[in-house]
Amino acid sequence: YAMFALVFLGATALWPERRAWLMTAVTAVCACHVAATEPRLLGYAAVLLPALFWLLGRADRPDARASARFWLGMFAGMVLLPKLWQAQVEHYAHGGWLDANQNFTAGLFLRLAYYYYERRRGLVPAGRFWDYAAYLLFVPQVTGMLNLPPSEMAARWGFRWEALRRGFGSVSWAAVKIPAVLWLERAVLPGWGYARGYGALHGGPRGELWACLLVMYVYWAVLISLKFDLMVALFRFFGVDVDDNFRWPLLATSPVDLWRRWNVYNRRLLLKFVYFPLGGNRRHVYRNIFCTFLGSALILHTGYCGSPWLGLDPGQLRDWLLYFALQGALVCGAYWWLNRPFWERLDLGSWRWPLRGAGWVFTLGSSAWLHVLPLAAAGGFLNADTAPLASLGERLSLMWRALGG
């Protein structure tokens, strides 16, 4: 990665005005990275990416016919054919072609969708194949999924000392979070319900259950933000000065504020793909908010695009749909409350900080309570293999128990 970063930064510093040369060099370096990490993917990408670029056409804004060709080609090349190959040829063998590359294929699918979205709106110029290929195969994108739009990446790409400085800042925060995560995982979680299973959690004192939920939520938030701190640092070291993906979500004072701080780039993707096309805050705002959360479950969290399976795990679909439906309902309620007219007329004065504190407690508690569903479904958090929470009923029972039932 250090060698690749030096090539990228050196190219942006030496050839700032010769973008075609620069993006050709970038694509070559990205192809070397793919060949070194997953050599089986290089031939697949070398055939698929030019084919989809050709199907989309050279018009600045693809028409309906070109759009239909592109989406049919992407579904066939990225979803149907790889899954059929995995099922019929490799018989779902562990370590098979698609099984070994789920993150890459899922991320590539989202990046292609983003590219189409911005081409359709005239935000990305047509006819620049090397820009297109470099964006799709960009080394930090292959390493992990940060859903950065191609127009934003092109605008921010360049040799900037500020980007390097911010990259070292991200690494510094990660160095603080790593020992915190290890301390929570090894010293705190075992004492508050970790690996104890449904019986111990449901039968113990309600205070212990809430302590377990809160500690688990803090652990989960810090762990995910740590991973994205390192990913953001990698982008910045490569000369792309991206925004922080997590903006201290544990300090959110309302569910609305929480989702403005949590996974910022996923939120922007969902706003562009779901919320704004439905009407945004101009009409049916509560319906649009709710559908955006359901879109998060279907687009980002079921894992269908990158999985080797032809079908979708019904348990995973059920759990994530239920979780995001509850989150959507909570955000709709908070949005309604925060937009009542009396808030504008009310002179908070000395009550401002107590009310913010109450909002913070409510947000932290409700988020910890709702995280029972995905954390238990994922395994290894509220349960261990020896004491699994196998059923949705058990997880809902724990949630009811935490509320006093």
Side-chain angles (χ1 to χ4, degrees):
Y1 290 148
M3 181 186 70
F4 289 149
L6 287 174
V7 172
F8 274 61
L9 293 176
T12 55
L14 293 172
W15 301 333
E17 304 300 329
R18 301 194 177 188
R19 189 166 182 82
W21 291 14
L22 169 62
M23 301 312 284
T24 305
V26 167
T27 306
V29 173
C30 291
C32 291
H33 175 264
V34 174
T37 54
E38 291 293 347
R40 290 173 294 179
L41 278 176
L42 192 58
Y44 170 71
V47 173
L48 180 69
L49 299 189
L52 292 176
F53 185 79
W54 176 77
L55 288 174
L56 199 53
R58 298 182 66 84
D60 285 337
R61 297 194 179 189
D63 57 17
R65 183 175 297 179
S67 299
R69 290 198 307 263
F70 172 81
W71 282 105
L72 287 173
M74 190 162 78
F75 180 77
M78 297 210 61
V79 179
L80 186 60
L81 294 179
K83 291 177 184 291
L84 287 173
W85 176 273
Q86 191 76 9
Q88 302 299 322
V89 178
E90 300 197 8
H91 304 290
Y92 296 118
H94 181 67
W97 179 79
L98 187 60
D99 184 41
N101 303 289
Q102 294 183 36
N103 286 336
F104 177 85
T105 50
L108 195 58
F109 185 92
L110 288 174
R111 291 194 291 280
L112 280 162
Y114 231 146
Y115 178 79
Y116 165 79
Y117 177 92
E118 295 205 333
R119 273 282 300 275
R120 182 76 171 172
R121 284 153 183 79
L123 300 174
V124 177
R128 293 183 174 179
F129 175 77
W130 298 116
D131 285 16
Y132 155 88
Y135 165 72
L136 294 173
L137 298 177
F138 190 47
V139 171
Q141 291 276 42
V142 175
T143 305
M145 290 172 60
L146 187 68
N147 296 309
L148 186 70
S151 61
E152 185 174 336
M153 187 168 134
R156 298 188 177 202
W157 205 341
F159 185 82
R160 298 182 183 91
W161 289 109
E162 179 64 16
L164 294 178
R165 186 193 65 79
R166 295 184 69 198
F168 284 111
S170 298
V171 172
S172 300
W173 279 118
V176 174
K177 292 177 181 179
I178 288 172
V181 166
L182 294 175
W183 175 70
L184 287 171
E185 187 175 285
R186 297 175 182 178
V188 179
L189 294 179
W192 292 108
Y194 183 73
R196 289 168 61 188
Y198 171 77
L201 290 172
H202 191 271
R206 189 172 296 112
E208 289 191 5
L209 176 57
W210 269 108
C212 176
L213 297 183
L214 290 170
V215 172
M216 286 307 313
Y217 177 63
V218 171
Y219 170 77
W220 183 247
V222 175
L223 177 63
I224 296 180
S225 65
L226 162 64
K227 292 179 178 180
F228 277 100
D229 281 342
L230 296 172
M231 196 184 307
V232 164
L234 194 58
F235 267 88
R236 291 169 177 170
F237 290 152
F238 277 75
V240 184
D241 195 7
V242 300
D243 296 330
D244 289 315
N245 201 37
F246 278 72
R247 297 174 177 172
W248 299 97
L250 292 175
L251 301 181
T253 56
S254 74
V256 176
D257 186 31
L258 170 68
W259 289 103
R260 288 172 179 163
R261 295 167 175 263
W262 185 287
N263 216 328
V264 170
Y265 280 104
N266 274 0
R267 176 177 176 270
R268 292 177 184 174
L269 181 147
L270 291 166
L271 289 177
K272 291 180 179 180
F273 283 16
V274 183
Y275 184 70
F276 292 137
L278 289 174
N281 57 3
R282 300 190 306 275
R283 61 182 186 274
H284 307 300
V285 62
Y286 299 106
R287 179 204 67 183
N288 300 342
I289 292 172
F290 195 76
C291 289
T292 302
F293 275 89
L294 294 184
S296 181
L298 293 171
I299 297 171
L300 300 176
H301 289 85
T302 56
Y304 182 71
C305 292
S307 76
W309 309 101
L310 280 167
L312 187 65
D313 180 8
Q316 186 183 38
L317 176 63
R318 174 203 65 197
D319 289 347
W320 284 114
L321 281 175
L322 181 55
Y323 167 69
F324 279 104
L326 290 172
Q327 284 281 12
L330 188 64
V331 170
C332 284
Y335 185 87
W336 173 83
W337 177 254
L338 293 172
N339 284 278
R340 294 300 87 199
F342 68 81
W343 284 110
E344 297 179 2
R345 298 193 298 266
L346 189 62
D347 184 13
L348 296 176
S350 60
W351 286 94
R352 184 178 303 275
W353 286 106
L355 284 173
R356 288 177 65 87
W360 174 76
V361 171
F362 173 77
T363 303
L364 189 66
S366 60
S367 298
W369 178 73
L370 287 172
H371 267 69
V372 172
L373 284 170
L375 292 179
F381 289 93
L382 289 175
N383 57 287
D385 293 337
T386 55
L389 282 104
S391 71
L392 177 64
E394 289 182 345
R395 299 197 286 278
L396 293 176
S397 177
L398 274 184
M399 296 175 77
W400 178 245
R401 167 72 174 158
L403 294 179

